[in-house]
Amino acid sequence: MKASLHNKNILLGVCGGIAAYKSAELLRRLQDTGANVRVVMTSGATKFITPLTFQALSGHPVHTDLLDTEAEAAMGHIELARWADLILIAPATANSIARLASGRADDLLTAIYLASNSKKAVAPAMNHVMWTAETTRENIQKLQKNGTEIFGPASGDQACGETGPGRLLEADKLISSCTQLFDTGELQGIKIMITAGPTYEPIDPVRFIGNRSSGKMGFAIAQAAIEQGAIVSLIAGPVSLNTPEHSKRTDVETALQMHQAVMNNIDGQDIFIATAAVADYRPIKPRSQKIKKTDDEFSISLTPNPDILKEVAALDNPPFTLGFAAETQNVKDYALLKLKNKKLQMIAANQVSHSEDEQDTGFNSEYNALQILWNGGEARLERCRKTQLARQLITLLAKRYHEKTTT
Ligand code: PMT
């Protein structure tokens, strides 16, 4: 299973060098991979190629100014920094590299670079003497030390008429280098089953008991696992989300159907991740006809649903299990209880209550924060987009999984 840039948010930074015209082609090629691309230009870049070109190609406004109040109100530099899965600066001039290396934040691109926890890559393009200059070498080393990948440069004829290293890498090479950044293969060939979304428990043909789960967390985890080379089966409750490419998806509606879909296919799975918000109870006897309104009190008798996660963890040869615990109070204590009672390897504790001043997170949000607990350890994953959180979670899970399977 190969990593891809599909659905990755890529912020393309364009700096002021003659190679800036090549970024238009690069933008198109990135879009062809299915990536979502936004463009930020330095003021120097706008002298070589107009923002309008990138706007027309990307279908999005191009960001150029740190102090543009209108742009900041729409998608400001912090939003862009959080949005990006990858910041790719291509071409990066000697001047921009020096500014990034010294931690400057006085234009939009450097501010975003400094404010972002995303993956970062720089594709230098400059005169070969500038590239080999001692100060440029030092600046490049500083960027590498901070985790920035350096793509290129290529050697060959230069715009200045000289020959040597300093040409922007070709789009093909830049794209394959970007793709490799998402292909660390921590779970190469590992089979993972993930439950996601809510369940609907029918009361009558038109009514059900459900919950606010959107499936976004589970689908993001599926995507992150695929990026790491896992073979993913996704058992999804009723959600309206696109199926992550390369996953095998089974749609279910009720807890009983989810239970059956999981138990029928759990054999041979290496890891089981239960993000689904499964109804603990279902109406004993769903009515076959729509219940008519009367003035009388009305009650529904409920019976417990099977605990899918607990059953999987209790199998003779169980997979490595990661459960979720959505709690409104005593989050860590309740999560630890579930870890113990259900005999899990890991649990992700999810605070899902909100006071008015708390930020949007958890159920049906793009964002989440998790406290991951296991026997003898814990880790806190701070609030961020579920897509990014899922990648952090998968890295942690892969580490624990490999530790367990090698002991
Ligand atoms: O879907 P989103 O909108 O993105 O929201 C994500 C989420 C908040 C739903 C998710 O992050 C989360 O916390 N999921 C667990 C929700 C939950 O209801 O947990 P629980 O405490 O009821 O269940 C504990 C664990 O047992 C869960 O892993 C659950 O999947 C599993 N379980 C529970 C009941 C049951 N009958 N079978 C189960 O497998």
Side-chain angles (χ1 to χ4, degrees):
M1 201 69 60
K2 276 188 63 64
S4 85
L5 296 178
H6 187 79
N7 268 342
K8 296 290 181 306
N9 293 339
I10 299 182
L11 192 140
L12 177 61
V14 184
C15 302
I18 185 64
Y21 77 93
K22 294 184 179 173
S23 306
E25 169 68 6
L26 177 60
L27 165 64
R28 290 295 292 266
R29 301 288 304 281
L30 283 168
Q31 287 177 317
D32 289 346
T33 68
N36 311 309
V37 189
R38 299 287 174 99
V39 178
V40 171
M41 299 176 76
T42 63
S43 65
T46 62
K47 306 279 190 308
F48 287 89
I49 182 167
T50 69
L52 197 59
T53 305
F54 289 109
Q55 180 172 319
L57 291 174
S58 69
H60 293 286
V62 169
H63 306 265
T64 52
D65 195 350
L66 180 60
L67 303 175
D68 178 343
T69 42
E70 213 174 280
E72 282 287 303
M75 197 174 195
H77 68 285
I78 297 293
E79 263 306 298
L80 282 168
R82 287 193 188 132
W83 172 85
D85 295 314
L86 166 66
I87 298 176
L88 169 64
I89 304 181
T93 57
N95 177 47
S96 296
I97 288 170
R99 289 155 51 73
L100 295 170
S102 62
R104 298 281 288 272
D106 54 358
D107 74 359
L108 185 60
L109 185 57
T110 50
I112 291 172
Y113 177 90
L114 199 61
S116 181
N117 286 325
S118 71
K119 295 176 191 292
K120 292 168 188 160
V122 157
M126 65 193 74
N127 166 273
H128 68 103
V129 183
M130 292 170 94
W131 171 248
T132 48
E134 188 55 30
T135 34
T136 306
R137 314 267 18 98
E138 284 167 12
N139 290 333
I140 288 287
Q141 277 166 15
K142 269 195 204 164
L143 292 183
Q144 284 174 318
K145 210 165 132 225
N146 293 336
T148 298
E149 299 288 332
I150 309 296
F151 295 161
S155 253
D157 294 341
Q158 300 211 287
C160 55
E162 297 176 10
T163 304
R167 284 169 60 90
L168 183 68
L169 276 192
E170 295 304 320
D172 273 351
K173 288 206 172 129
L174 285 174
I175 285 171
S176 70
S177 303
C178 289
T179 310
Q180 277 169 22
L181 293 183
F182 294 94
D183 184 17
T184 57
E186 287 167 331
L187 293 170
Q188 205 66 45
I190 303 290
K191 291 188 179 153
I192 304 189
M193 180 179 280
I194 301 168
T195 65
T199 64
Y200 287 177
E201 309 301 324
I203 297 170
D204 70 13
V206 294
R207 303 180 179 94
F208 59 83
I209 298 172
N211 62 66
R212 298 181 197 281
S213 169
S214 62
K216 286 175 191 163
M217 190 71 246
F219 275 55
I221 291 172
Q223 176 64 41
I226 290 164
E227 285 167 13
Q228 296 306 327
I231 300 162
V232 172
S233 303
L234 190 52
I235 314 290
V239 297
S240 19
L241 294 173
N242 293 329
T243 308
E245 217 181 325
H246 303 304
S247 68
K248 179 180 167 229
R249 171 172 173 177
T250 306
D251 286 313
V252 298
E253 192 162 293
T254 65
L256 286 181
Q257 289 168 359
M258 186 173 276
H259 174 254
Q260 195 179 30
V262 169
M263 299 319 289
N264 284 350
N265 296 288
I266 196 68
D267 204 22
Q269 295 292 329
D270 301 299
I271 298 176
F272 180 65
I273 306 177
T275 58
V278 186
D280 288 325
Y281 298 92
R282 68 179 184 279
I284 292 184
K285 270 199 185 146
R287 306 282 179 87
S288 57
Q289 303 298 331
K290 185 179 169 200
I291 299 166
K292 304 308 288 179
K293 184 179 160 200
T294 69
D295 289 336
D296 299 334
E297 272 189 13
F298 176 71
S299 59
I300 304 169
S301 295
L302 303 175
T303 186
N305 274 321
D307 189 319
I308 306 167
L309 176 59
K310 194 172 179 180
E311 233 177 273
V312 168
L315 288 170
D316 283 344
N317 189 14
F320 184 99
T321 45
L322 165 63
F324 272 67
E327 305 291 351
T328 53
Q329 54 178 338
N330 303 333
V331 181
K332 186 174 174 184
D333 291 345
Y334 285 144
L336 282 171
L337 266 183
K338 282 179 185 164
L339 180 73
K340 191 163 165 249
N341 292 343
K342 299 195 189 205
K343 296 194 170 64
L344 310 176
Q345 269 79 46
M346 295 175 87
I347 194 147
N350 209 164
Q351 166 74 260
V352 289
S353 67
H354 299 290
S355 61
E356 267 181 18
D357 56 341
E358 276 173 340
Q359 292 167 307
D360 168 33
T361 186
F363 276 94
N364 197 22
S365 163
E366 293 296 331
Y367 296 86
N368 206 3
L370 295 170
Q371 189 173 11
I372 318 299
L373 306 161
W374 61 92
N375 194 1
E378 64 178 271
R380 187 175 285 280
L381 305 183
E382 299 299 339
R383 179 180 179 275
C384 61
R385 281 189 175 272
K386 283 178 178 170
T387 45
Q388 287 170 348
L389 192 75
R391 291 197 187 104
Q392 296 171 30
L393 179 62
I394 283 295
T395 299
L396 195 60
L397 169 87
K399 191 162 176 279
R400 302 280 323 139
Y401 171 76
H402 290 304
E403 274 169 15
K404 180 162 187 291
T405 49
T406 50
T407 51

